[in-house]
């Protein structure tokens, strides 16, 4: 092995440990306990990893930073352990599934932000929300927590995730407005029922995605919104490769917003917009 490769591996391994100690320090700030001597070493590791910036962290930043750090380790660890996994969603690990749920729940906060400047989308939050591929229920639960006039249909076909979703709903005070079902979106009954639908495209092949949009359109009320996210392709070439890899390993196929825009337009959606975020790009439209 060349010295350059060896040095680079050591450098990246050091960075991974720095990320771990930052996460550990944030967990301890949010209430987790630790041995005094260990806690001191973790705080020193935080200082060495972040320098003076460590003192700038405030409590409102902890939760989103922990989600980002957790997902980096969960996703990277799964890729390292199972690089030969087939190109479909077959995750059974409880911690991985729950981490995905914590990460995805932030998507509904973003929807709320978009609705604040779009009256017809705001009106859709007083109706029925379809959460396709609910996983462990992260998006559905956040919708129920933040929108008291919204009923939610949460559907999925992956039994390990549905079992965890049932546990998470049972522990929530908002579960009464969430109907959890094992249902393939391509078997969705016609409506009109839904005022808002969430369709994570990164878990679907193109033929399945086309069927899903057809079914959602048939099940939605006139004026109903569809928000279809796909992973954002970063400018950083390495992170762009990781974004495409994440889609492929999730069973997805569509990676370009323009292709998704065309699918919505062909099925009668209007006022189509593309909202680019650091992790996911939202393609959204309103049913004419």
């Amino acid at each position: 092995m060349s010295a350059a490769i060896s040095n680079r591996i050591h450098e990246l391994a050091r960075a991974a440990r720095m990320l771990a100690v930052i996460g550990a320090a944030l967990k301890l700030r949010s209430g987790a306990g630790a041995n005094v001597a260990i806690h001191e070493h973790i705080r020193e590791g935080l200082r060495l990893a972040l320098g003076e910036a460590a003192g700038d962290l405030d409590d409102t930043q902890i939760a989103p930073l922990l989600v980002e750090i957790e997902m980096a380790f969960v996703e990277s660890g799964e890729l390292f352990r199972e690089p030969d996994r087939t190109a479909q969603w077959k995750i059974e690990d409880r911690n991985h599934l729950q981490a995905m749920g914590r990460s995805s729940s932030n998507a509904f906060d973003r929807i709320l932000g978009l609705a604040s400047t779009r009256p017809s989308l705001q009106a859709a939050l007083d109706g029925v929300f379809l959460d396709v591929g609910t996983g462990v229920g992260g998006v559905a639960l956040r919708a129920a927590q933040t929108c008291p006039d919204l009923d939610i249909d949460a559907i999925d076909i992956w039994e390990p995730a549905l079992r965890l979703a049932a546990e998470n709903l049972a522990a929530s005070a908002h579960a009464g407005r969430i109907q959890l079902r094992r249902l393939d979106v391509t078997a969705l009954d016609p409506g009109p029922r839904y005022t808002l639908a969430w369709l994570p495209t990164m878990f679907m092949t193109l033929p399945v995605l086309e069927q899903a949009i057809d079914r959602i359109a048939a099940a939605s009320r006139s004026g109903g919104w569809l928000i279809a996210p796909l992973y954002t392709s970063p400018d950083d070439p390495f992170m762009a490769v990781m974004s495409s890899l994440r889609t492929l390993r999730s069973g997805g196929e569509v990676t370009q917003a323009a292709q998704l825009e065309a699918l919505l337009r062909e099925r009668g959606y209007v006022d189509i917009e593309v909202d680019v975020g650091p992790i996911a790009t939202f393609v959204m439209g309103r049913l004419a």
Side-chain angles (χ1 to χ4, degrees):
M1 182 189 304
S2 71
I5 293 176
S6 178
N7 290 339
R8 182 59 173 158
I9 295 298
H10 286 314
E11 177 186 344
L12 293 172
R14 180 174 182 268
R17 288 173 171 82
M18 280 188 169
L19 188 59
V21 83
I22 292 168
L26 293 179
K27 281 188 173 183
L28 291 172
R29 280 186 61 173
S30 63
N35 173 279
V36 173
I38 292 174
H39 196 172
E40 287 294 330
H41 279 73
I42 289 173
R43 280 202 294 261
E44 178 63 8
L46 176 70
R47 186 189 67 78
L48 292 170
L50 293 182
E52 293 182 3
D56 296 334
L57 287 168
D58 62 60
D59 291 343
T60 62
Q61 297 173 302
I62 291 178
L65 288 175
L66 281 175
V67 168
E68 183 174 355
I69 292 169
E70 181 179 33
M71 279 308 304
F73 280 116
V74 167
E75 186 178 58
S76 301
E78 195 275 335
L79 175 61
F80 178 72
R81 290 190 303 272
E82 301 184 54
D84 57 348
R85 178 169 61 78
T86 55
Q88 56 184 308
W89 185 251
K90 289 288 185 181
I91 303 297
E92 297 189 35
D93 180 76
R94 180 187 182 95
N95 292 331
H96 191 158
L97 289 169
Q98 293 284 39
M100 287 287 290
R102 285 188 287 273
S103 177
S104 65
S105 65
N106 295 328
F108 201 82
D109 290 327
R110 188 168 156 194
I111 293 173
L112 293 175
L114 292 167
S116 68
T117 57
R118 294 162 178 81
S120 63
L121 181 55
Q122 185 68 48
L125 300 177
D126 183 3
V128 185
F129 173 47
L130 175 65
D131 177 21
V132 177
T134 192
V136 301
V139 171
L141 282 166
R142 186 61 181 157
Q145 290 165 2
T146 56
C147 299
D149 297 318
L150 190 66
D151 292 321
I152 298 108
D153 286 356
I155 65 173
D156 209 311
I157 58 173
W158 187 234
E159 287 288 356
L162 284 168
R163 288 194 293 270
L164 288 175
E167 292 179 19
N168 293 339
L169 263 63
S172 171
H174 307 282
R177 289 186 287 112
I178 302 174
Q179 181 181 15
L180 180 66
R181 288 193 292 165
R182 187 184 189 281
L183 179 69
D184 193 316
V185 64
T186 62
L188 195 66
D189 292 332
R193 175 168 174 77
Y194 300 110
T195 56
L196 175 64
W198 169 258
L199 181 68
T201 68
M202 53 281 279
F203 303 103
M204 300 174 182
T205 62
L206 180 57
V208 171
L209 177 57
E210 291 176 328
Q211 291 181 60
I213 298 174
D214 286 338
R215 288 286 188 163
I216 290 172
S220 295
R221 302 180 196 175
S222 177
W225 280 79
L226 171 60
I227 298 179
L230 68 163
Y231 290 127
T232 299
S233 182
D235 293 333
D236 181 314
F238 173 78
M239 293 306 293
V241 168
M242 294 304 295
S243 176
S244 294
L245 180 61
R246 185 185 300 120
T247 296
L248 292 173
R249 283 172 56 83
S250 298
E253 188 174 343
V254 175
T255 59
Q256 300 297 322
Q259 187 176 6
L260 197 48
E261 285 183 79
L263 292 176
L264 266 62
R265 191 170 292 107
E266 290 166 4
R267 287 156 177 81
Y269 284 90
V270 297
D271 300 334
I272 296 172
E273 298 182 56
V274 176
D275 184 73
V276 180
I279 297 174
T281 292
F282 288 6
V283 179
M284 53 191 185
R286 181 178 57 82
L287 193 63

